Amino acid sequence: MIVVLKQNFMQEQLDMLLHWLQEQGIAVHQSLGEHSTVLGLIGDTAGLDTDLIEAQDFVEKVQRVQEPFKKANRKFHPIDTVVGVGGVKIGAGNFAVMAGPCSVESPEQVSEIAAAVKASGAGILRGGAFKPRTSPYDFQGMGNDGIELLLQAKAQTGLPIVTEIMNVSHLPAFEHVDCIQVGARNMQNFELLKELGRCNKPILLKRGLANTIQEWLMSAEYIMAGGNQQVILCERGIRTFETATRNTLDLSAVCVIKEKSHLPIVVDPSHATGVSRYVKQLAVAAAAVGADGLMIEVHNNPAKALCDGPQSLTPAQFDDVMRAVNQVRAK
Amino acid sequence: MIVVLKQNFMQEQLDMLLHWLQEQGIAVHQSLGEHSTVLGLIGDTAGLDTDLIEAQDFVEKVQRVQEPFKKANRKFHPIDTVVGVGGVKIGAGNFAVMAGPCSVESPEQVSEIAAAVKASGAGILRGGAFKPRTSPYDFQGMGNDGIELLLQAKAQTGLPIVTEIMNVSHLPAFEHVDCIQVGARNMQNFELLKELGRCNKPILLKRGLANTIQEWLMSAEYIMAGGNQQVILCERGIRTFETATRNTLDLSAVCVIKEKSHLPIVVDPSHATGVSRYVKQLAVAAAAVGADGLMIEVHNNPAKALCDGPQSLTPAQFDDVMRAVNQVRAK
Amino acid sequence: MIVVLKQNFMQEQLDMLLHWLQEQGIAVHQSLGEHSTVLGLIGDTAGLDTDLIEAQDFVEKVQRVQEPFKKANRKFHPIDTVVGVGGVKIGAGNFAVMAGPCSVESPEQVSEIAAAVKASGAGILRGGAFKPRTSPYDFQGMGNDGIELLLQAKAQTGLPIVTEIMNVSHLPAFEHVDCIQVGARNMQNFELLKELGRCNKPILLKRGLANTIQEWLMSAEYIMAGGNQQVILCERGIRTFETATRNTLDLSAVCVIKEKSHLPIVVDPSHATGVSRYVKQLAVAAAAVGADGLMIEVHNNPAKALCDGPQSLTPAQFDDVMRAVNQVRAK
Amino acid sequence: MIVVLKQNFMQEQLDMLLHWLQEQGIAVHQSLGEHSTVLGLIGDTAGLDTDLIEAQDFVEKVQRVQEPFKKANRKFHPIDTVVGVGGVKIGAGNFAVMAGPCSVESPEQVSEIAAAVKASGAGILRGGAFKPRTSPYDFQGMGNDGIELLLQAKAQTGLPIVTEIMNVSHLPAFEHVDCIQVGARNMQNFELLKELGRCNKPILLKRGLANTIQEWLMSAEYIMAGGNQQVILCERGIRTFETATRNTLDLSAVCVIKEKSHLPIVVDPSHATGVSRYVKQLAVAAAAVGADGLMIEVHNNPAKALCDGPQSLTPAQFDDVMRAVNQVRAK
């Protein structure tokens, strides 16, 4: 960490800061220049509160050289993490596809889709039981009943399931769920993250609409700091000025995550674009860029989907996507 | 609401949609053109799920003419809402300033600041007990003890208090809090919003970092749909590409909110910029643009603030801000 | 185009507008509702100035149903356009790679790189002679001498060349250049676009940092409206809040462009990320998503590049990228 | 400037860099740590090409401590610059309002508006002769004839005039124009900026839609490095995800500019919002935040404006704005 001091500081101010840093076990190298003095902080600076240092009125700015995350950091864990969801592995060359309906609607719907996506090669069934909706007047999901339907489909097909949690108090209903999803809007719901850090279950952590990659890894760090190391990241598009797609899929985030972290990352082209016609091309691109898996919406009757219909594929379309993805992966 | 159909739809598809709309109590006017057919939907379209209509494969696009919010909508409630926090009114010409420390730290700190901001004319004491922090290694606030300290300061000064909630399960601790704040990161924590809709307390709803004004009003609608009409909006900056300030304060949002909604809106220049030197100018601008109040961070010793120090003012600086704001308001 | 009128308009205002539209050859279908009246405009609305209609004080809003571009529009030109640069075809399945140094520096540098990228399979040599630099104190390029060096390399290798223009007055120097590049910062330099519309040369039009896909196609339309139909689009990343990469590469833009336009589109992963380590993965992803080509920076000695060094590959690294891209394309 | 080296660099690499820096007159202080080595560069680093340093493969990152602009920098020019446009002063407490039509349309229109805005207290007449339009099919302005009409209005009213240039080749037509405007889309048209640096006329430099404050000051630096110190900055909104206003007016940019630069800054609320109903509130806020002036669109018949009509005020509305602004300024 680098601390740049203002031109006219008093020695006693600096001494106070140096003393405080020493107490934290941080070594300091000073670099005295004509127009500015620079402190180089050496040691475990991840735990330092930069705001506190920046608050000193003789400090011009504070810049981190090292990332503020540790457990999620590839520097300290160079080997790729493999997360197991049910028996399905994700990461370190293990590629997994999570597919299923946006919203769970009926036993028949879930059964049909689960059988179809399994036949096409999906390894995990996804489906929404608790749905975050912008409007209070829109369908909010089937809740616990939806989770029951997913578990029935799991029993029928053997596919492990992933579904979204919106509230810590719903946690008991997730007892038999294989992987708990944290949605984009809850990526910085720190209370939820802390609670999931105490779980012994894989967590699929979606990137927030307007969150940097570093903030995303810090949210993973919340879960990992609590003791749960089974985190799968999911890139699902960020909010930009462009309106031709619902969000802008940031595939370069896969490159950055692979470099900075050992955690697996999957890509959700369905939510990223909101347009089912673009899902195939972007799924193939995600596989090509090095993602560890995909999350794709599939509906047996997109025209009747209760939500997010425009981004869902039919089982036949999904089968076509899987063929294309497998081709690229086999390259 | 306007529905644009694709060029080659089948009459029976259209009939099915028209029938469904009729069941929802929606009247439809058709406009048949050479290249496209346009349906004008008349009636209470706020409850319609546009995604469902857009999911029909003969529909090209759906565009709302009317806003999807009702209770927060000025069209249906033309008169400005006044929200009372303790005895302090906000809205319809009632201007209130909420001031206090970012984080509650000690009895002395809160007491001193409360007395100081009251003397300068603040009407409400703000202070953070539960703190949302990007890093799990940063100070997370004093929690319930912090709320106790705020209540003591309230008893001493008579100032009503506002403080942030991060988890529904903490609600009992807010029993004597005068106004509950929903932070930017929780603006779309719909489970929390629903619960607050069942409260009988004013809610200060901060705008999310990357949320549109319409999404913000939809989150207010969540609270109001639950029965709680006491919502105060708070503009606190949005995330953009600019890095010279922590966020970009969107003062035009005050103009838009005043036009589209009857709810009061306050402005938080401290969090918006993250730079205490800019707070005075932006506080005055917020008063000039027509905001119903301000939320400002004040610290008796900014150099020692445990978080968000750079954006805090000293009591003397705050007093200077209040004079300038009052001058502009008296214009 | 749809025009929504305000609730209380006067019939004579509407008549005036209807008359004016009639004069423009536009047919109008009216849809009269309880709360709003909607006009559906049928005909060639691309030439209508929506601002003018929106300026009428009885109009609430104007929404385009049809895109405002015609010559670049796939609806009117369903077949993929193939642009020839020198003898190299781009579009409709013809995939071309443009590679070379960011800045032209010396005869040896250009020669070496040109020979190397040709050997690896690049079809076109790129190189900057006129360089847009944020700072007036940074190297601005070799100018006309740089173009001379590119032409020498063309003579040696047979590779056609593409290089950037920054000023209409430099056009004579581009006489023997095979393809003229318009940089991101000049995407809406309409005077330059008009002038290039009068050229008989392929134009590589880079997307502006903060420009929507529709604005980009409108800039292509400027060139095409002038008579020059040889436009190649180039996605090179957009500006977002994320700072881990220089820009955010928007690969979904390839999907959107392929749907809305018949023009070829290439992708520049070097400028998009600004990080040479990420170029290979993103080049492969761009090929997988369906781009018609790539633009990649290659330098014989990246450590000494005068500009944009961090994003340049060595010839050996470029060769590795080409192998990976060809594998994906052969899938 | 701070240079952070990678963990395993070779001494000879460092020596080469140190030697090169020495040749540039830069002193270096080294700070050797366990995990990273940090170089503090002291001297005139504004002229250093950071990309070149970053291109060295043993360098992890380069961070500027000092701003890369010099002539526009308040550190080196602590006193506010006053720019004179005709006889009207802007800056250092001199507040000026530029008002007039978006597009010049006819002698009567310009005359009427010029007389009206002068009567309300505007000091400078604005009007567009060359218009940057997104679509080639929209009205492009009257060109040289438009400038003639502005000069006639100047002769009639005595108001100095400001109008936009889009092309260096049009410069002769601007001979009698008092202030030349560079539009947002040309903020990084470096060729144009260089040419204007050779002019002896005030330049009104609008901020680009997606440009940071630092890039904006670097564009001012282009003009000033050429010898022309008469630069007026104009904040006119930036592009964000919000669509309720055309752009997001960034009033905190006024605070930042006032701190970092000595140049005057004016605010254009008309273009920033694109909504005439919001202009008054934001004009007052701009005056309150400390801007040195305003640029406001006024039209004698907004309903007939050929472009940008929705954002124009009538003369009566403008008069109302001026009263409100004067009240705030007199506070």
Side-chain angles (χ1 to χ4, degrees):
Chain A
M1 193 182 294
I2 288 159
V3 178
V4 182
L5 305 186
K6 286 182 186 160
Q7 273 175 282
N8 305 309
F9 63 89
M10 283 179 298
Q11 188 59 38
E12 63 188 26
Q13 291 178 307
L14 177 57
D15 291 344
M16 196 181 64
L17 178 62
L18 293 175
H19 180 72
W20 181 81
L21 288 168
Q22 198 178 4
E23 284 180 338
Q24 317 272 325
I26 304 292
V28 179
H29 287 83
Q30 295 185 40
S31 189
L32 291 144
E34 194 181 350
H35 293 293
S36 55
T37 296
V38 174
L39 308 180
L41 276 51
I42 316 295
D44 179 12
T45 56
L48 280 187
D49 198 331
T50 57
D51 286 338
L52 182 53
I53 300 171
E54 210 155 17
Q56 309 305 315
D57 62 7
F58 64 103
V59 169
E60 182 164 322
K61 63 176 151 181
V62 178
Q63 293 179 311
R64 284 197 180 277
V65 174
Q66 287 172 312
E67 294 93 353
F69 46 92
K70 291 189 287 190
K71 293 176 180 291
N73 200 326
R74 188 180 283 279
K75 279 187 188 156
F76 307 117
H77 306 261
I79 297 168
D80 281 348
T81 284
V82 178
V83 176
V85 174
V88 179
K89 289 178 180 173
I90 304 178
N94 299 287
F95 188 88
V97 178
M98 307 168 183
C102 175
S103 282
V104 170
E105 290 163 32
S106 70
E108 297 73 26
Q109 176 231 28
V110 186
S111 282
E112 275 181 39
I113 296 175
V117 300
K118 187 184 180 185
S120 298
I124 299 169
L125 177 65
R126 71 168 312 287
F130 296 95
K131 301 294 305 170
R133 301 302 304 273
T134 305
S135 168
Y137 309 120
D138 285 351
F139 177 58
Q140 309 273 321
M142 290 181 71
N144 291 350
D145 292 347
I147 291 186
E148 274 312 306
L149 297 184
L150 287 168
L151 291 172
Q152 287 172 20
K154 176 187 176 180
Q156 289 163 5
T157 58
L159 290 177
I161 60 174
V162 55
T163 190
E164 179 170 353
I165 194 166
M166 287 176 63
N167 193 334
V168 169
S169 72
H170 297 156
L171 205 47
F174 287 72
E175 190 184 347
H176 301 293
V177 167
D178 300 281
C179 179
I180 302 178
Q181 175 180 323
V182 176
R185 290 177 184 80
N186 279 315
M187 193 203 88
Q188 291 194 318
N189 182 337
F190 301 119
E191 291 288 313
L192 180 59
L193 300 177
K194 284 179 194 171
E195 195 67 31
L196 297 176
R198 289 186 279 267
C199 276
N200 184 20
K201 258 185 208 307
I203 308 298
L204 183 89
L205 180 65
K206 290 201 154 189
R207 181 179 182 184
L209 268 79
N211 287 110
T212 62
I213 294 170
Q214 180 165 306
E215 288 170 341
W216 192 13
L217 287 171
M218 290 309 290
S219 287
E221 190 82 10
Y222 257 96
I223 298 168
M224 299 169 89
N228 184 354
Q229 311 303 313
Q230 306 168 69
V231 178
I232 304 162
L233 301 167
C234 179
E235 161 64 31
R236 42 78 72 215
I238 56 174
R239 181 161 274 185
T240 69
F241 61 83
E242 178 59 67
T243 56
T245 46
R246 185 183 297 178
N247 296 114
T248 298
L249 183 62
D250 180 11
L251 284 182
S252 50
V254 176
C255 305
V256 179
I257 288 289
K258 284 286 167 202
E259 182 176 72
K260 292 194 183 298
S261 180
H262 52 92
L263 295 173
I265 176 169
V266 302
V267 170
D268 177 348
S270 303
H271 275 88
T273 61
V275 183
S276 62
R277 303 186 293 283
Y278 304 155
V279 168
K280 180 181 174 182
Q281 282 169 271
L282 291 169
V284 173
V289 89
D292 299 299
L294 294 166
M295 176 167 249
I296 294 181
E297 285 195 8
V298 178
H299 204 283
N300 51 353
N301 189 348
K304 286 196 185 144
L306 284 176
C307 78
D308 289 328
Q311 71 204 29
S312 285
L313 302 176
T314 61
Q317 290 167 330
F318 176 70
D319 194 66
D320 183 43
V321 170
M322 287 300 288
R323 280 176 208 277
V325 167
N326 287 332
Q327 256 181 331
V328 161
R329 286 193 34 81
K331 54 191 168 171
Chain B
M1 193 183 292
I2 288 160
V3 179
V4 182
L5 305 186
K6 287 182 184 160
Q7 272 175 283
N8 305 307
F9 63 88
M10 283 180 297
Q11 188 58 40
E12 62 188 27
Q13 291 178 308
L14 177 56
D15 290 346
M16 197 182 64
L17 178 62
L18 293 175
H19 179 72
W20 180 80
L21 287 168
Q22 198 178 4
E23 284 180 339
Q24 316 272 326
I26 304 293
V28 179
H29 287 84
Q30 294 185 40
S31 190
L32 291 143
E34 196 180 349
H35 294 291
S36 56
T37 296
V38 173
L39 308 180
L41 276 51
I42 316 294
D44 178 12
T45 56
L48 281 186
D49 198 331
T50 58
D51 286 338
L52 183 52
I53 299 172
E54 210 155 16
Q56 309 304 316
D57 64 6
F58 65 104
V59 169
E60 183 165 321
K61 65 174 150 182
V62 178
Q63 292 177 313
R64 284 197 180 277
V65 174
Q66 288 171 309
E67 294 94 354
F69 47 92
K70 290 189 289 191
K71 292 178 181 291
N73 200 326
R74 187 179 283 280
K75 278 187 189 156
F76 306 119
H77 306 262
I79 297 169
D80 281 348
T81 284
V82 178
V83 176
V85 173
V88 178
K89 290 178 179 173
I90 304 178
N94 300 288
F95 188 89
V97 177
M98 307 167 182
C102 174
S103 282
V104 169
E105 291 163 31
S106 70
E108 296 73 26
Q109 175 230 28
V110 186
S111 281
E112 274 181 39
I113 297 175
V117 299
K118 186 183 179 187
S120 297
I124 299 168
L125 177 66
R126 74 172 303 290
F130 295 96
K131 300 296 307 170
R133 301 302 304 270
T134 306
S135 168
Y137 309 120
D138 286 349
F139 176 58
Q140 309 273 320
M142 291 181 71
N144 292 351
D145 292 347
I147 292 187
E148 275 311 306
L149 296 185
L150 287 168
L151 291 172
Q152 286 172 21
K154 176 186 174 181
Q156 288 163 3
T157 58
L159 291 178
I161 60 174
V162 54
T163 190
E164 180 170 353
I165 194 166
M166 287 177 63
N167 193 334
V168 168
S169 72
H170 297 157
L171 205 46
F174 287 72
E175 191 185 346
H176 300 294
V177 167
D178 300 281
C179 179
I180 302 178
Q181 175 179 324
V182 177
R185 290 179 184 79
N186 279 315
M187 193 203 88
Q188 291 195 317
N189 182 337
F190 300 120
E191 292 289 314
L192 179 60
L193 299 178
K194 284 179 194 171
E195 196 66 32
L196 296 177
R198 289 186 280 267
C199 277
N200 184 21
K201 258 185 210 308
I203 308 299
L204 184 89
L205 180 66
K206 289 201 155 188
R207 181 179 182 183
L209 267 80
N211 287 109
T212 62
I213 294 171
Q214 181 164 305
E215 288 169 342
W216 191 15
L217 287 171
M218 290 309 291
S219 287
E221 191 82 10
Y222 258 95
I223 298 168
M224 298 171 89
N228 184 355
Q229 312 304 312
Q230 305 169 70
V231 178
I232 303 163
L233 302 166
C234 179
E235 161 65 30
R236 42 78 72 215
I238 56 174
R239 182 161 274 186
T240 70
F241 61 84
E242 179 59 68
T243 56
T245 45
R246 184 183 298 179
N247 297 114
T248 298
L249 182 63
D250 180 10
L251 284 182
S252 50
V254 176
C255 306
V256 179
I257 288 289
K258 284 286 166 200
E259 180 175 72
K260 292 194 184 299
S261 180
H262 52 92
L263 294 174
I265 177 170
V266 301
V267 170
D268 177 348
S270 303
H271 276 88
T273 60
V275 183
S276 62
R277 305 186 292 284
Y278 303 156
V279 168
K280 180 180 173 183
Q281 282 169 272
L282 290 168
V284 173
V289 88
D292 299 299
L294 294 165
M295 176 167 247
I296 293 180
E297 285 195 8
V298 178
H299 204 284
N300 50 354
N301 188 349
K304 286 197 186 143
L306 285 176
C307 78
D308 288 328
Q311 71 204 28
S312 285
L313 303 177
T314 60
Q317 289 167 330
F318 176 69
D319 193 66
D320 183 43
V321 170
M322 287 300 288
R323 281 175 209 276
V325 168
N326 287 332
Q327 255 180 332
V328 160
R329 286 194 34 81
K331 54 188 168 172
Chain C
M1 193 183 294
I2 288 159
V3 178
V4 182
L5 305 187
K6 287 183 185 159
Q7 273 175 284
N8 305 308
F9 63 89
M10 283 181 296
Q11 188 59 39
E12 62 188 25
Q13 292 178 306
L14 177 57
D15 290 346
M16 195 181 66
L17 179 62
L18 293 175
H19 180 72
W20 180 80
L21 288 168
Q22 199 178 4
E23 285 180 338
Q24 317 272 326
I26 304 291
V28 179
H29 287 83
Q30 296 185 38
S31 189
L32 291 144
E34 196 181 347
H35 294 291
S36 55
T37 296
V38 173
L39 308 180
L41 275 50
I42 315 294
D44 178 12
T45 57
L48 281 187
D49 197 331
T50 58
D51 286 337
L52 182 52
I53 300 172
E54 210 155 15
Q56 309 304 315
D57 63 8
F58 64 104
V59 169
E60 182 163 321
K61 64 176 150 181
V62 178
Q63 293 178 312
R64 285 198 179 275
V65 173
Q66 287 172 312
E67 293 93 353
F69 47 93
K70 290 190 287 192
K71 292 177 182 289
N73 199 327
R74 187 178 284 278
K75 278 187 188 155
F76 307 117
H77 306 263
I79 297 168
D80 281 348
T81 285
V82 178
V83 176
V85 173
V88 179
K89 290 178 180 173
I90 304 179
N94 299 288
F95 189 88
V97 178
M98 307 166 181
C102 174
S103 282
V104 170
E105 291 162 31
S106 70
E108 297 73 25
Q109 175 229 30
V110 186
S111 281
E112 276 181 37
I113 296 175
V117 300
K118 186 183 181 186
S120 298
I124 300 167
L125 176 66
R126 72 170 307 290
F130 295 95
K131 301 294 305 171
R133 300 302 305 270
T134 305
S135 167
Y137 308 119
D138 286 350
F139 176 58
Q140 310 273 321
M142 291 181 69
N144 291 350
D145 292 346
I147 292 186
E148 274 312 305
L149 296 185
L150 287 168
L151 291 171
Q152 286 173 22
K154 176 185 175 180
Q156 289 163 3
T157 59
L159 290 177
I161 60 173
V162 55
T163 191
E164 180 170 353
I165 193 167
M166 287 176 61
N167 194 334
V168 169
S169 71
H170 297 156
L171 205 47
F174 287 72
E175 190 184 347
H176 301 293
V177 167
D178 300 280
C179 179
I180 302 178
Q181 175 179 323
V182 177
R185 292 178 183 78
N186 279 316
M187 194 203 89
Q188 291 195 317
N189 182 337
F190 301 120
E191 292 289 313
L192 179 60
L193 299 178
K194 284 179 194 170
E195 195 67 29
L196 296 176
R198 288 186 279 267
C199 276
N200 184 21
K201 257 185 210 305
I203 308 298
L204 183 88
L205 180 65
K206 290 203 155 188
R207 181 179 182 183
L209 267 80
N211 286 109
T212 62
I213 294 171
Q214 181 164 307
E215 288 169 341
W216 192 13
L217 287 171
M218 289 310 291
S219 286
E221 190 83 9
Y222 257 95
I223 297 167
M224 299 170 88
N228 183 355
Q229 312 302 311
Q230 306 169 70
V231 178
I232 304 163
L233 301 167
C234 179
E235 161 65 30
R236 42 80 71 217
I238 57 175
R239 181 161 275 185
T240 69
F241 61 84
E242 179 59 67
T243 56
T245 45
R246 184 183 297 180
N247 295 114
T248 298
L249 182 63
D250 180 10
L251 285 182
S252 50
V254 176
C255 305
V256 178
I257 288 289
K258 284 287 165 199
E259 182 176 72
K260 293 194 184 298
S261 181
H262 51 92
L263 294 173
I265 175 170
V266 302
V267 170
D268 177 348
S270 303
H271 276 88
T273 61
V275 183
S276 62
R277 303 185 294 283
Y278 303 155
V279 167
K280 180 182 175 182
Q281 283 170 269
L282 291 168
V284 174
V289 89
D292 298 300
L294 293 166
M295 176 166 250
I296 293 180
E297 284 194 8
V298 178
H299 204 283
N300 50 354
N301 189 348
K304 287 199 186 140
L306 283 177
C307 78
D308 290 327
Q311 72 204 26
S312 284
L313 303 176
T314 60
Q317 289 167 330
F318 175 69
D319 194 66
D320 183 43
V321 170
M322 287 300 287
R323 281 176 209 275
V325 167
N326 287 333
Q327 256 181 329
V328 160
R329 286 195 32 83
K331 54 189 170 177
Chain D
M1 194 182 295
I2 288 159
V3 179
V4 182
L5 305 186
K6 286 182 185 159
Q7 273 175 283
N8 305 307
F9 62 90
M10 283 179 298
Q11 187 59 40
E12 62 187 27
Q13 291 178 307
L14 177 57
D15 290 345
M16 197 181 65
L17 179 61
L18 293 175
H19 180 72
W20 181 80
L21 288 168
Q22 199 178 4
E23 284 180 339
Q24 316 273 326
I26 304 291
V28 179
H29 287 83
Q30 295 185 41
S31 189
L32 291 144
E34 196 181 349
H35 293 291
S36 54
T37 296
V38 174
L39 309 180
L41 275 51
I42 316 295
D44 179 13
T45 57
L48 281 186
D49 198 329
T50 58
D51 286 339
L52 183 52
I53 300 172
E54 210 155 17
Q56 308 306 313
D57 63 9
F58 64 104
V59 169
E60 184 165 320
K61 64 175 150 181
V62 179
Q63 292 178 312
R64 282 197 181 277
V65 173
Q66 286 172 310
E67 294 93 353
F69 46 93
K70 290 190 287 190
K71 292 178 181 290
N73 200 327
R74 188 179 283 279
K75 279 187 189 157
F76 307 118
H77 306 263
I79 296 168
D80 281 348
T81 285
V82 178
V83 176
V85 174
V88 179
K89 290 178 179 173
I90 304 179
N94 300 287
F95 189 88
V97 178
M98 307 169 181
C102 175
S103 282
V104 169
E105 292 163 30
S106 70
E108 296 74 25
Q109 176 230 27
V110 186
S111 281
E112 275 181 38
I113 296 176
V117 300
K118 186 184 180 186
S120 298
I124 300 168
L125 177 65
R126 74 173 301 293
F130 295 95
K131 301 295 305 171
R133 301 302 304 270
T134 306
S135 168
Y137 308 120
D138 286 350
F139 176 59
Q140 310 272 320
M142 292 181 71
N144 292 350
D145 292 346
I147 292 186
E148 274 312 306
L149 296 185
L150 287 167
L151 291 172
Q152 288 172 21
K154 176 186 174 180
Q156 288 162 3
T157 58
L159 291 177
I161 61 174
V162 55
T163 191
E164 180 170 353
I165 193 166
M166 287 177 63
N167 194 334
V168 169
S169 72
H170 297 157
L171 205 46
F174 287 72
E175 190 185 347
H176 301 293
V177 167
D178 300 280
C179 179
I180 302 179
Q181 175 179 323
V182 177
R185 290 178 185 79
N186 280 316
M187 193 203 88
Q188 291 195 317
N189 183 337
F190 301 120
E191 292 289 314
L192 179 59
L193 299 178
K194 284 179 195 171
E195 195 67 31
L196 296 176
R198 289 186 278 267
C199 275
N200 184 20
K201 258 185 208 306
I203 308 298
L204 183 88
L205 180 65
K206 289 202 154 189
R207 181 179 182 183
L209 267 79
N211 287 109
T212 62
I213 293 170
Q214 181 165 306
E215 288 169 341
W216 192 13
L217 287 171
M218 290 309 291
S219 287
E221 190 83 9
Y222 257 96
I223 298 167
M224 299 169 88
N228 184 354
Q229 312 303 313
Q230 306 170 70
V231 178
I232 303 164
L233 301 167
C234 180
E235 160 65 30
R236 43 78 72 216
I238 57 174
R239 182 160 273 186
T240 69
F241 61 83
E242 178 60 69
T243 56
T245 45
R246 186 183 295 179
N247 296 114
T248 298
L249 182 64
D250 180 10
L251 284 183
S252 49
V254 176
C255 305
V256 179
I257 289 290
K258 284 285 166 201
E259 182 176 71
K260 292 194 185 300
S261 180
H262 52 93
L263 294 173
I265 176 169
V266 302
V267 170
D268 177 348
S270 302
H271 275 87
T273 61
V275 183
S276 62
R277 303 186 293 284
Y278 303 155
V279 167
K280 180 182 174 182
Q281 283 169 270
L282 290 168
V284 173
V289 89
D292 298 300
L294 294 165
M295 176 167 250
I296 294 181
E297 285 195 7
V298 179
H299 203 284
N300 51 353
N301 188 348
K304 285 197 186 143
L306 284 176
C307 79
D308 289 327
Q311 72 205 27
S312 284
L313 303 177
T314 61
Q317 288 167 330
F318 175 70
D319 194 67
D320 183 43
V321 170
M322 287 299 288
R323 281 175 208 277
V325 168
N326 287 333
Q327 254 180 331
V328 160
R329 286 193 35 81
K331 53 187 167 167

